[in-house]
Amino acid sequence: DERDESLTVLGEHLAKLPMDPKIGKALVFACLFGCLSPMLTITAILSYRTPFYVPIDKRFEADQAKRKFARGKTSDHYAYL
């Protein structure tokens, strides 16, 4: 039934964690896929504001610096790692 608002089994486990459910879900799936270590880093960083300050007039330079951290990839998550 679409009106059933009870939690799924996964939802019940996520509700017990002291974090945003999206962060908890990412950690659960990271365990299942065997990539917990990098996901711990990513979720810890995502729990706070972004470390990338981008001045409006320096957007290109900021993007270049971020790519350097990300080893050429365009993903912020690679830059975090």
Side-chain angles (χ1 to χ4, degrees):
D1 187 353
E2 290 181 19
R3 294 178 292 170
D4 182 12
E5 295 184 11
S6 60
L7 294 174
T8 63
V9 174
L10 175 59
E12 289 177 8
H13 289 289
L14 294 175
K16 294 176 186 175
L17 297 175
M19 62 188 69
D20 182 285
K22 292 177 188 174
I23 299 292
K25 187 174 182 180
L27 292 175
V28 168
F29 279 99
C31 288
L32 294 172
F33 291 118
C35 57
L36 181 60
S37 183
M39 190 55 72
L40 283 170
T41 302
I42 291 169
T43 55
I45 292 168
L46 291 176
S47 295
Y48 297 97
R49 63 182 180 87
T50 181
F52 300 114
Y53 172 72
V54 182
I56 293 173
D57 62 331
K58 304 267 185 188
R59 185 174 210 146
F60 178 77
E61 291 88 348
D63 285 343
Q64 292 294 80
K66 195 186 318 180
R67 279 200 187 101
K68 183 178 176 183
F69 283 116
R71 298 181 192 109
K73 308 250 191 254
T74 57
S75 169
D76 286 356
H77 297 141
Y78 275 104
Y80 293 153
L81 297 175

